[in-house]
Amino acid sequence: MILGIRKAIPVAAALALATAAAWGQESQEVRIGHVAPLSGGQAHYGKDNERGAIMAIEDLNAKGLVIGGKKITWKLLSEDDGADPKQGTTVAQKLVDAKVSGIVGHLNSGTTIPASKIYSDAGIPQITPSATNPKYTQQGFKTAFRIIANDNALGAATALLATKGLGAKKVAIIDDRTAYGQGVADIFEKVAKENGAEIVTRQFTNDKASDFAAILTAVKEKKPDAVFYGGMDAQAGPMLLQAKQLGLATKFLGGDGICTTELAKLSGGAATDGVYCAEGGASLDKMPKGKEFRSRFEAKFNDKIQIYAPYVYDAVMTIAAAMQKANSTEPAKYLPELAKIQYEGVTSKVSFDSIGELNNPATTLYNYPGGVKTPLN
């Protein structure tokens, strides 16, 4: 009996040690916030972004990562800002209160910029996958990062295409007065003028409009060689259709806001090879892992990528990579690692400059022959 007891003691001790080890590697839920317009005219962008985030969270959970001695369970908290600045700040505070460890978003510059102060005040890192207004990273917030080219690149690329590539001498500009639309139009105007173009008129609309007859009539009277629109495809599509109905036959250009697979549908088929747009980043076929991502995305969602889903995916993965390097999910501890990250993503090698802009961002020009979004470079 005594011998039996002696043999039992090591077994009991081993069980106790195993239990202690199991308790030592407890699980931890890490919340990643995502914000985009999930309702309204821009919902197709927002849902596309959300899908990129969903894929990243699922992939992270499949990895079974251990950070700081704890097995991490990743959870996505996705919010709808309706592309409205006021709603954007409301959901930003909601996510801060929910103690998210990182933010991916917002989609629009007009919501990203005001929300960024809330995240900065809370010390929560934020990566936007799609907001392109340069002011976002010029505010001095150490928490603000962008994973795509900004309006300086997009506006310049379309202006050079218009003047050098298409030979436009007289250009009309329309913008939707949002931080994004006005910002990219301002850059386009500046670079177009520098390259010899005359701006024959500059017209304004808003990001909820659907009737552009008066604006387009005024544009038609000026007989421009090209029209640039600073805004999103929800307005660009109907604008193209109405321009065709008015007999305004000219080249039509825009930034990444119009550069979607949805544009041809929204224009009622009016978007042909006379439409050109610039998008930050490489085309999917030229991204390091773009073809694989597209295949997985389309198989999972039975739908095509609009624009930003791969960038959202990389934004989530970049945050997770910084946490791994810091061996901590606490924002204050992994933020320094995020600032100096070198992450091999789907879209590119992700690294940031001193103000949070993506190093060496690519820009791709597209047109729409037969209504199909097609890269020019």
Side-chain angles (χ1 to χ4, degrees), residues 270-284:
T272 62
D273 56 357
V275 177
Y276 301 85
C277 58
E279 184 179 303
S283 63
L284 275 165

Side-chain angles (χ1 to χ4, degrees), residues 31-39 42-43 45-47 49-50 53-54 75-84 87-100 102-108 111 115 119:
R31 298 174 175 182
I32 301 296
H34 167 264
V35 189
L38 301 175
S39 61
Q42 297 181 33
Y45 294 98
K47 289 173 183 175
N49 281 24
E50 185 180 55
I54 289 169
K75 183 176 181 180
L76 182 68
L77 299 186
S78 190
E79 294 290 340
D80 176 15
D81 66 13
D84 177 72
Q87 190 171 329
T89 55
T90 299
V91 297
Q93 188 60 54
K94 181 180 178 180
L95 289 171
V96 169
D97 294 343
K99 301 190 183 307
V100 296
I103 293 289
V104 176
H106 301 202
L107 186 146
N108 307 84
T111 54
Y119 302 131

Side-chain angles (χ1 to χ4, degrees), residues 133-184:
N133 191 303
K135 292 178 183 177
Y136 167 63
T137 55
Q138 293 171 356
Q139 300 172 99
F141 298 153
K142 293 182 178 180
T143 51
F145 300 87
R146 186 187 340 257
I147 206 167
I148 197 168
N150 67 26
D151 287 342
N152 290 333
L154 301 178
T158 47
L160 289 172
L161 174 62
T163 55
K164 303 300 184 184
L166 303 177
K169 301 296 184 185
K170 298 165 62 179
V171 179
I173 298 175
I174 307 168
D175 78 68
D176 67 0
R177 298 282 86 179
T178 64
Y180 163 69
Q182 183 175 350
V184 72

Side-chain angles (χ1 to χ4, degrees), residues 17 33 37-38 72 90 112-113 138 140 148 155 167 170 182 186 206 265 269-270 316 321 325 355 367:
L17 286 170
L38 301 175
I72 304 300
T90 299
T112 299
I113 293 170
Q138 293 171 356
I148 197 168
K170 298 165 62 179
Q182 183 175 350
D186 286 346
N206 64 72
K265 185 191 301 182
V316 175
K325 284 191 171 294
I355 64 170
N367 69 344

Side-chain angles (χ1 to χ4, degrees), residues 65 134 186 256 371:
L65 297 176
D186 286 346
D256 60 333

